[in-house]
Amino acid sequence: MPDAPLSLILLTAVPSLHNAGHAVSWIAVWFLRAAIPWGVWLPYLSGAIVLALGLNTGLRQEFAHARGLDKIVTLGPILLAAPVAVFGAEHFTFAAIVAGMVPSWIPGHLFWALFVGACLIGSALSIAVRKYAGPSALLLGIMICLFVLLIHIPGIAASPGKRLLWVVGLRDLAFAGGAFSVAATQAEAWSPEVRQRLVTIARLFIAVPVTFLGVQQFLHPELAPGVPLAKLTPLWLPAHLLWAFLTGAVFVVAGLCLIVNKEARLAATWLGLMVLLLVVVLYVPIVVTNPSDIGNGLNYLADTLLLGGTVLALAGAATWEFLVRAHTPVIVAAM
C-alpha cells in the first residue's frame, strides 16, 4: 500500500469517527499506510483498543449522568488504563531494553520483562471493561510499588544527586496512587473501611510527587511541562516560561491541598484538567509530527496522560469519600 500524507488520511478518516470503534480503525489505517514497523505501532494499537473498550463499556452512562467537571472525572480510569496498555506493549516490542532494567540479582530478566508486560495489559483491559477492576487495580498499584522499592529507591540511594532518578521514582509512586484510586472506587470489591484506607494511601502517594514535580518545573522551566524529564519544550510552543510557571504553580498548590486534605477533590480535578491541557496542546502535536519516535514522542504522551488519569481517578475516589462524610451522622455527646 503506498504511503499517504497524514493530512489526507485525517481528511478521509474523520467523517467515519462516529464511535470509538471507528477511532481504532482510523488509527490502524494511519499506521498501516505509513508502513510503520510492527514494533512501533503495536503500543499505539494496544492503547487505542483499551481506550475504545473503556469508552464503550459503561462510560457513556456515567458521563451522561455526571454534571459539570464531574464529567471529566469519570474519564480518569480510562485515561489511566490506556497508557498502561501502551507501556505493557512496549515490554514486548522493547523486551531486551526492559529486561536490562531488572535488578541484576533477580534471575530470568527477559521472563520478568514479558511477565510484567502481560500484567500491565491485563490490568488495563480489566479496568477498561470493568471486570474485576478492583482487585486488578490494587494488584497494579502493588506491582508499581515494587518497581519503586526494587529499582528506583536503590538507584536513588546509589546516585542521590541525579535529578531524573528522583523524578522517575516519584512519578511511579504517583502512578501507584492512581491505581489505588481506581481500586477504591470499586464498591463491590471492598468494605468501606478498606476503601477509605486506599483513598488515604492514594492521596499521599500522589500529593508528594505532584508537589515535587511542581517545584522541579520552577527550577527547570526549559523542560517540557507535566513530568519534567529530559525533553526540552519545543520551540514552536509560545510563551515557554508562562507554561512552565503556570504548570508549576498548579502542581504545587494542588499537591499541598492534597497533602493537608483540604479541598482535595477540587484540587485533583483542576490538576487533572491542567495535565489534560498539556496533553492536547503539547504532547499530541509532538506525536503526530513524528509517530515513529517512541522514546521522544509516544512515551512522553503516555506518561503525561497517565498522570492525568491518575489525578482524575483520585478525584473520583475523593468524591466517594466526600459523599460518605456528608452522609455520616455526627454524634454529639451530652455534657
Side-chain angles (χ1 to χ4, degrees):
M1 183 179 295
D3 291 346
L6 177 58
S7 58
L8 177 61
I9 297 172
L10 288 173
L11 288 174
T12 58
V14 166
S16 66
L17 295 181
H18 300 302
N19 52 46
H22 286 122
V24 175
S25 301
W26 166 69
I27 294 171
V29 169
W30 177 26
F31 286 109
L32 288 173
R33 290 190 178 182
I36 297 177
W38 169 267
V40 173
W41 64 261
L42 181 61
Y44 287 95
L45 184 61
S46 301
I49 289 174
V50 169
L51 182 62
L53 289 172
L55 294 175
N56 281 296
T57 309
L59 183 61
R60 291 180 180 177
Q61 185 176 0
E62 290 183 20
F63 190 84
H65 288 136
R67 294 291 179 268
L69 292 179
D70 287 340
K71 287 183 176 292
I72 305 299
V73 172
T74 62
L75 299 175
I78 305 304
L79 298 182
L80 181 146
V84 167
V86 169
F87 291 128
E90 289 184 14
H91 277 66
F92 292 91
T93 57
F94 302 102
I97 297 176
V98 176
M101 301 177 185
V102 179
S104 58
W105 54 270
I106 298 179
H109 289 191
L110 182 59
F111 164 78
W112 287 111
L114 299 178
F115 176 75
V116 168
C119 291
L120 291 173
I121 294 174
S123 296
L125 288 170
S126 178
I127 293 171
V129 301
R130 319 292 175 87
K131 297 295 184 182
Y132 307 105
S136 181
L138 178 63
L139 291 174
L140 174 63
I142 293 173
M143 184 173 69
I144 298 176
C145 285
L146 290 176
F147 298 162
V148 175
L149 290 173
L150 299 177
I151 299 175
H152 300 313
I153 290 180
I156 292 171
S159 303
K162 290 186 177 181
R163 183 191 69 86
L164 278 178
L165 295 179
W166 286 93
V167 172
V168 173
L170 287 171
R171 175 205 65 184
D172 282 6
L173 185 66
F175 292 164
F180 292 146
S181 298
V182 175
T185 61
Q186 307 303 308
E188 73 284 353
W190 324 106
S191 66
E193 292 77 13
V194 172
R195 295 177 71 188
Q196 182 63 54
R197 293 190 186 99
L198 285 173
V199 173
T200 301
I201 293 172
R203 177 172 55 80
L204 295 176
F205 274 23
I206 295 171
V208 173
V210 162
T211 307
F212 176 83
L213 294 177
V215 173
Q216 286 293 304
Q217 202 68 69
F218 282 108
L219 296 176
H220 303 278
E222 74 281 3
L223 298 177
V227 181
L229 295 170
K231 188 177 184 64
L232 298 176
T233 303
L235 296 177
W236 52 260
L237 183 70
H240 285 197
L241 291 180
L242 176 61
W243 282 103
F245 293 143
L246 176 62
T247 302
V250 172
F251 273 50
V252 170
V253 171
L256 292 176
C257 288
L258 293 175
I259 289 174
V260 300
N261 199 21
K262 295 296 183 182
E263 300 293 341
R265 181 168 60 108
L266 189 61
T269 301
W270 281 105
L271 176 59
L273 289 173
M274 182 68 208
V275 176
L276 292 185
L277 178 62
L278 293 175
V279 169
V280 174
V281 172
L282 179 59
Y283 292 103
V284 168
I286 289 175
V287 171
V288 170
T289 301
N290 190 6
S292 63
D293 191 348
I294 300 296
N296 291 308
L298 177 62
N299 282 351
Y300 278 89
L301 171 62
D303 238 16
T304 312
L305 187 60
L306 182 49
L307 181 61
T310 287
V311 294
L312 289 176
L314 176 62
T319 299
W320 168 82
E321 184 182 36
F322 172 81
L323 292 175
V324 169
R325 290 179 177 178
H327 291 86
T328 300
V330 178
I331 301 176
V332 180
M335 299 298 293

